[in-house]
Amino acid sequence: LYGDPSAAAPFWRYQLYDDDCVEMAVADVVGQLTGTQPTEEEIVKLAQSTPSSVHPGPIYKTPKKPRTGEGTSFDDEPTLLARYGIHAVSIDKENGATGHGPASIKALEQDLAKGRKVIVGVNAEVIWGEQVEDKTPDGQPESNHAVVMTGVDTVAGIVHLNDSGKDDGRDERVPIDVFTRSWDSSDDQMTVTG
């Protein structure tokens, strides 16, 4: 077992907004690393007042109507974590970062083994076993959700997640093949603490 799902589970929270999964994943990681977890309101307020490193304007904009929000770019996770003094990098299967190669399941396992915290971009419907709503132009699942990867159990063939999008998402257990199919939707994007 790579990682420590039991130690991470207390920092899971269900998201009340429908498009702030990135903020909730960051809050989870902040709690795991510092012992003090920001509330959903605190992390959203911070994201609303922090300039994005990806696009003009703030990291997060509150939607005018429910279910119309654009959410937050996965690549802004390190920017938000930095506001808590936590160094992190965003990588994918094509692009590594200084001191870290490209993303892969092996890299993810090694990061968890070293005690690093990892947020991954996935397609929620694939993880949840639902009909895929968000698709790319060629019909493949599109990434639409961020979760905290808390463990990989290679013997049982499952991954452990803290998934703020489900009311029973604390230490959610997903078969590795389902996870990798869902994770592939983001080109294996992962944000890893340093």
Side-chain angles (χ1 to χ4, degrees):
L1 174 64
Y2 299 95
D4 191 345
S6 297
F11 297 100
W12 169 87
R13 299 287 180 273
Y14 179 67
Q15 67 189 63
L16 299 178
Y17 299 114
D18 58 2
D19 69 341
D20 68 338
C21 57
V22 164
E23 286 74 17
M24 293 303 286
V26 167
D28 184 310
V29 167
V30 170
Q32 288 185 55
L33 290 173
T34 69
T36 304
Q37 184 176 18
T39 66
E40 185 170 18
E41 293 75 23
E42 290 167 342
I43 193 87
V44 165
K45 187 174 180 180
L46 180 63
Q48 289 171 324
S49 63
T50 301
S52 170
S53 63
V54 179
H55 56 76
I59 287 175
Y60 178 79
K61 294 179 186 175
T62 305
K64 292 184 169 64
K65 297 182 205 171
R67 304 229 180 268
T68 62
E70 295 180 24
T72 300
S73 170
F74 300 140
D75 290 331
D76 267 329
E77 292 163 349
T79 303
L80 203 48
L81 285 162
R83 296 296 300 265
Y84 293 94
I86 298 169
H87 178 300
V89 294
S90 176
I91 62 173
D92 60 33
K93 65 182 168 189
E94 300 294 326
N95 303 295
T98 303
H100 199 293
S104 68
I105 195 76
K106 282 289 175 210
L108 200 156
E109 290 168 355
Q110 293 308 305
D111 286 325
L112 291 171
K114 292 175 183 173
R116 295 177 177 151
K117 306 307 173 199
V118 181
I119 301 170
V120 293
V122 297
N123 177 280
E125 293 95 5
V126 172
I127 291 282
W128 301 338
E130 297 176 357
Q131 181 176 345
V132 175
E133 300 279 329
D134 293 329
K135 296 180 181 177
T136 62
D138 63 351
Q140 296 302 308
E142 187 168 40
S143 59
N144 59 5
H145 192 43
V147 296
V148 180
M149 171 66 70
T150 62
V152 178
D153 186 336
T154 56
V155 174
I158 61 169
V159 298
H160 295 257
L161 308 171
N162 274 356
D163 182 349
S164 65
K166 288 185 71 182
D167 58 8
D168 61 349
R170 181 188 316 267
D171 193 18
E172 180 179 25
R173 296 163 194 218
V174 177
I176 289 176
D177 64 322
V178 172
F179 167 74
T180 55
R181 202 168 65 241
S182 178
W183 190 32
D184 191 51
S185 69
S186 70
D187 292 326
D188 296 355
Q189 186 279 335
M190 58 192 262
T191 295
V192 185
T193 63

